[in-house]
Amino acid sequence: MTVLSTLLHATAFRSPFLSTLLPSIGLAYGIQGLVAIPSILAQSEKFYDLSGSLTYLSCTALSLYLPTLRARHAAQLAGTIKPAWPSLVGAVMGKAGSGLNWRQVVLSAAVSVWATRLGTYLFQRISADGSDSRFDKIRGNPPVFLGAFFAQATWVTLCLLPVLALNSLPSTLLSTASPLLLTDILGLLLYTGGLSFEIIADRQKSQWVEEKKAKKHSEEFLTRGLWSKSRHPNYFGESTLWTGIAVLAGGVLCSNVGQVGMGFAGGIGGIMAAAAMAGVSPAFVTFLLLKVSGVPLSETKYDKKYGDRKDYQEWKKNTPMFIPKL
């Protein structure tokens, strides 16, 4: 029995959701563990954020293609014709027999776009800066540094939960769902708006830094553009886009199609479980940003440097911390 056969057999559960979720979790921790080893030896966080993006991309792709991989493997063992690989274009266009539902492709693409953009942006930033202050106290402590990588695997898993759940549903079952739900529209609008907000905020920050290096201004902190509407517009954008992903996925997971596909009994209990499964993603992201690694670190850093300045205090007083003012 090959390694692939062993893995597929070991993760073949009655529930399609578990058959997709557990291999994805294993992949997330596996990738982070592999990247952690050389990073700990070199005491370098250079590839930390980039490996996070790679984990998002890998787990998303695995969840999208794993059902077909299982079907093709089963056909090979039975000596029958293997089913074709899914057609991404066909799924988006709503063609029958494409092997996927358009929502699965769109949400997987949405995660991939976000992960590729953020990973590239953060890798370019750390390549220019040389280090990340978040790791100053832990890169020399192997157990704690390893914990940071496994924490990232947990972050990926929880954020991807609604996408993994949606991708686990058989496309034949999803084809019986309504072609377009209100939650589809709302979710796409939230994702698009949130991603745009995050991209614009990051670009404004990068441009401000470049202008400061070129001595085009002497400002110590950014208060222009979206940064005049929110002290952390990039974090607000990220929270919003994950809310959009959760809304789109949740609309399907809470429906009868989603309940049947995940093996839930239905009723209020099943709907609440599906809603929680979708909602944990933006809830966890927002919690991290507001209480752990985002806003607290940034606010503490700037308060320490500029807390005694009147212009800084005015900016803090007049600019919301998170949700932008109109």
Side-chain angles (χ1 to χ4, degrees):
M1 184 176 287
T2 65
V3 174
L4 177 60
S5 298
T6 302
L7 291 174
L8 291 176
H9 178 73
T11 57
F13 302 96
R14 283 188 176 184
S15 167
F17 173 58
L18 289 179
S19 295
T20 298
L21 177 65
L22 295 185
S24 299
I25 293 175
L27 180 62
Y29 280 90
I31 292 175
Q32 288 302 298
L34 288 174
V35 178
I37 294 172
S39 297
I40 291 172
L41 293 175
Q43 294 190 11
S44 171
E45 68 276 17
K46 184 174 183 179
F47 296 100
Y48 180 80
D49 290 311
L50 192 63
S51 72
S53 294
L54 174 63
T55 305
Y56 269 105
L57 294 171
S58 300
C59 292
T60 300
L62 177 66
S63 69
L64 196 63
Y65 286 101
L66 187 55
T68 302
L69 183 61
R70 291 187 186 280
R72 288 175 62 88
H73 181 67
Q76 181 180 6
L77 293 178
T80 57
I81 299 176
K82 296 180 181 179
W85 290 104
S87 169
L88 302 182
V89 175
V92 173
M93 295 179 65
K95 290 184 178 180
S98 59
L100 291 169
N101 181 264
W102 72 266
R103 295 177 180 90
Q104 295 172 315
V105 176
V106 168
L107 276 195
S108 296
V111 170
S112 299
V113 168
W114 169 83
T116 301
R117 189 207 72 85
L118 185 63
T120 302
Y121 170 76
L122 293 177
F123 184 69
Q124 290 174 339
R125 188 176 71 177
I126 196 171
S127 296
D129 295 344
S131 64
D132 187 332
S133 59
R134 294 177 299 170
F135 297 88
D136 288 346
K137 296 181 179 180
I138 68 173
R139 69 170 68 90
N141 187 328
V144 178
F145 200 13
L146 176 64
F149 281 93
F150 285 158
Q152 182 158 247
T154 303
W155 169 56
V156 172
T157 300
L158 291 177
C159 287
L160 278 182
L161 197 55
V163 179
L164 298 178
L166 184 68
N167 286 350
S168 72
L169 301 180
S171 60
T172 52
L173 180 62
L174 277 174
S175 65
T176 64
S178 175
L180 187 66
L181 299 169
L182 178 60
T183 48
D184 295 332
I185 299 172
L186 180 59
L188 288 174
L189 288 175
L190 285 170
Y191 171 82
T192 304
L195 181 65
S196 300
F197 213 82
E198 184 178 35
I199 290 174
I200 293 172
D202 283 341
R203 286 183 176 176
Q204 288 177 346
K205 183 70 174 286
S206 295
Q207 182 179 0
W208 180 85
V209 170
E210 291 301 317
E211 290 176 352
K212 185 173 178 62
K213 290 179 180 179
K215 301 188 184 302
K216 293 183 179 180
H217 66 76
S218 58
E219 301 168 1
E220 295 294 337
F221 45 90
L222 177 58
T223 60
R224 293 182 264 130
L226 294 181
W227 300 82
S228 68
K229 305 297 183 182
S230 166
R231 301 204 300 273
H232 303 279
N234 51 340
Y235 296 152
F236 172 77
E238 183 159 342
S239 175
T240 301
L241 71 88
W242 282 108
T243 300
I245 289 174
V247 168
L248 197 157
V252 177
L253 298 178
C254 291
S255 69
N256 184 60
V257 168
Q259 296 290 291
V260 171
M262 289 189 294
F264 290 164
I268 189 66
I271 293 174
M272 289 180 64
M277 196 176 296
V280 70
S281 174
F284 185 66
V285 168
T286 305
F287 171 75
L288 286 181
L289 294 176
L290 291 181
K291 300 297 183 181
V292 183
S293 64
V295 171
L297 290 179
S298 180
E299 293 275 311
T300 300
K301 175 183 176 182
Y302 278 86
D303 285 349
K304 187 178 295 185
K305 292 180 67 175
Y306 311 116
D308 58 346
R309 290 179 48 162
K310 185 178 180 180
D311 55 348
Y312 177 73
Q313 291 298 334
E314 280 293 314
W315 176 62
K316 285 195 68 174
K317 179 182 177 181
N318 298 320
T319 308
M321 182 183 69
F322 193 66
I323 299 177
K325 64 183 179 181
L326 298 177

